[in-house]
Amino acid sequence: MPISSIDKEFKNLDTVRLSDEGDSVLIIDQTLLPNEVKILSLTEEKEMYDAIYLLQVRGAPAIGVFAALSMYVLSLNNREEDRDSFIIEFKRQKDYLDSARPTAVNLSWALKRMESVLLKEAQVKEKNFRERFLSVLKKEAISIYEEDIETCKKIGENGVTLIKDGDGIITHCNAGRLATVRYGTATAPMYLAKEKGLNIKVFCDETRPLLQGARLTAFELSKSGIDTTLICDNMSASVMKKGWVNAVFVGADRIAANGDAANKIGTSLLATAAKRYNIPFYVCAPRSTIDPATRNGNEIHIEERNPKEVTELWYEKRMAPKDIKVYNPAFDVTDADLISGIVTEYGVLKPPFTEAIKGIF
Ligand code: MRU
């Protein structure tokens, strides 16, 4: 339920956090941006599931932090009277949230972390299980939230070494502060470049069909004073050909053990164009987005979404024939051989990625 319509400085707001009272999860409702900055306060499992599914909270790291904080808040209201029933209810709610979106591995990664601290604590056979369970769950959720902030700072420090004064950069979708708690992954190097006084120009792909580039990235970068230009997705090769682009920085939802990287639909096309024009293509992501259990991109489950996102959403009237078939995958996989480097909190991983990835696990 909405608690307030806030007009205050957007830049001081975390994308996701625990409320000061500690009994609800607060998110910026990203479906309303850039026209309205509204904070939602969530306590119920259905509204948490919907927040993920409807992209009120989105971006792989932000979804992970949100899921962890949500499991703590749901556990506060878990009324089961014995330890086993408490755990069964916890697992039911965890699986429910996990089913909201399949591609971003951070969702199941964060939920597994929450489950494993609970199961570890459950081995202690003392009476006051509820207090102890809540205490470890809160601690783990806050760690996941704090780690996200620190990780993005480090991605920024590692990524900024790839940027020179005067560079033009293209980014796709929103791997910005709105996709994490604070700094973003692909945008963290840009924010740091600005802080260091480097002049950069960023081109944001609008990112059909949900317009995360136009609504979110263009909004947050321009608000922070970065020289930002919005382009349609089909314009990126053209600005590359003009020589306006020195590097591409994007995020990822799941990176396989061989470096294949799933990210917002259209990323793979951008990487292919970058290769054609000899422009380095960097994927910026925390280690939690790398899934060593997924061998390559073919094993990544790609979410397919409602056809109306393509035919109707954003238009005053439907813009496609009534019964037209629509294919609407939310993500695609960029082949590892198109990626110049994976910028993580552990440094910039270079090909061959299989070895480089093993090295940080
Ligand atoms: O469907 P979305 O908006 O959740 O897709 C988000 C992306 O594809 C991001 O690039 C990715 O999650 C990385 S966010 C740091």
Side-chain angles (χ1 to χ4, degrees):
M1 110 202 69
I3 51 169
S4 56
S5 196
I6 296 189
D7 217 9
K8 78 178 180 200
E9 238 349 272
F10 162 74
K11 69 175 183 233
N12 296 326
L13 296 171
D14 283 350
T15 302
V16 183
R17 73 176 176 91
L18 193 62
S19 65
D20 292 342
E21 300 73 28
D23 57 0
S24 71
V25 189
L26 304 183
I27 57 170
I28 300 174
D29 182 348
Q30 299 193 35
T31 59
L32 302 176
L33 290 173
N35 299 316
E36 190 183 351
V37 181
K38 181 191 255 184
I39 304 296
L40 302 181
S41 166
L42 309 179
T43 53
E44 308 288 332
E45 62 181 58
K46 173 76 169 81
E47 54 189 12
M48 289 164 173
Y49 175 97
D50 286 349
I52 299 172
Y53 181 72
L54 298 172
L55 276 57
Q56 287 173 317
V57 60
R58 40 130 327 265
I63 295 174
V65 173
F66 175 74
L69 294 172
S70 295
M71 283 316 302
Y72 166 65
V73 167
L74 292 174
S75 298
L76 285 174
N77 302 320
N78 182 336
R79 295 279 157 246
E80 298 298 335
E81 298 207 336
D82 63 86
R83 116 190 14 232
D84 290 346
S85 310
F86 186 102
I87 293 170
I88 289 169
E89 174 64 354
F90 176 95
K91 286 188 175 175
R92 186 194 60 74
Q93 291 177 317
K94 168 196 158 261
D95 289 344
Y96 177 59
L97 292 187
D98 208 2
S99 67
R101 296 191 77 190
T103 305
V105 69
N106 302 64
L107 176 59
S108 51
W109 166 85
L111 289 168
K112 271 188 212 134
R113 271 183 66 167
M114 294 298 281
E115 181 180 35
S116 80
V117 294
L118 177 69
L119 295 181
K120 187 162 175 234
E121 191 60 29
Q123 287 166 10
V124 181
K125 302 285 179 213
E126 279 169 21
K127 279 210 178 105
N128 56 344
F129 77 90
R130 187 180 304 276
E131 263 166 54
R132 287 187 293 101
F133 283 3
L134 291 177
S135 156
V136 294
L137 288 170
K138 182 171 188 182
K139 191 158 169 255
E140 191 66 0
I142 297 292
S143 300
I144 290 172
Y145 160 90
E146 286 173 348
E147 282 167 26
D148 181 79
I149 298 170
E150 284 314 304
T151 297
C152 288
K153 274 193 200 161
K154 288 192 187 130
I155 290 175
E157 283 158 18
N158 293 330
V160 79
T161 62
L162 304 166
I163 298 177
K164 302 177 304 301
D165 192 33
D167 271 358
I169 297 172
I170 286 198
T171 190
H172 189 69
C173 190
N174 175 266
R177 49 156 299 193
L178 287 161
T180 65
V181 176
R182 273 182 212 167
Y183 305 107
T185 59
T187 56
M190 302 176 202
Y191 288 128
L192 202 53
K194 168 143 177 53
E195 229 174 272
K196 287 178 183 285
L198 302 181
N199 280 312
I200 54 168
K201 288 185 191 308
V202 181
F203 293 92
C204 301
D205 280 354
E206 73 175 343
T207 317
R208 284 278 296 153
L210 292 180
L211 307 186
Q212 290 92 332
R215 294 186 302 107
L216 309 176
T217 310
F219 173 71
E220 63 165 86
L221 289 181
S222 59
K223 263 206 176 289
S224 78
I226 289 177
D227 182 329
T228 310
T229 305
L230 178 63
I231 56 173
C232 300
D233 299 338
N234 51 8
M235 297 170 186
S236 50
S238 161
V239 296
M240 286 179 182
K241 193 168 184 172
K242 284 183 186 296
W244 294 350
V245 180
N246 305 89
V248 180
F249 283 83
V250 296
D253 285 83
R254 187 182 299 246
I255 299 174
N258 71 342
D260 288 351
N263 191 50
K264 179 54 54 191
I265 188 74
T267 304
S268 151
L269 200 57
L270 194 61
T272 308
K275 185 85 166 181
R276 171 70 181 86
Y277 294 107
N278 242 332
I279 295 167
F281 183 92
Y282 298 109
V283 174
C284 304
R287 188 177 70 169
S288 53
T289 299
I290 302 176
D291 178 12
T294 298
R295 283 171 300 177
N296 58 54
N298 296 332
E299 294 180 3
I300 299 177
H301 180 175
I302 301 291
E303 172 186 5
E304 281 186 41
R305 295 183 62 87
N306 193 327
K308 287 186 179 164
E309 290 178 354
V310 177
T311 54
E312 292 172 38
L313 196 66
W314 317 121
Y315 298 124
E316 264 181 30
K317 42 182 187 197
R318 190 183 164 90
M319 280 294 151
K322 199 151 179 296
D323 297 317
I324 196 73
K325 280 194 285 180
V326 172
Y327 173 51
N328 184 20
F331 303 97
D332 61 22
V333 175
T334 298
D335 299 324
D337 66 341
L338 297 177
I339 300 173
S340 316
I342 301 177
V343 185
T344 72
E345 66 274 37
Y346 294 93
V348 182
L349 309 186
K350 292 285 190 175
F353 292 118
T354 307
E355 283 69 33
I357 286 173
K358 272 191 197 138
I360 62 163
F361 276 90

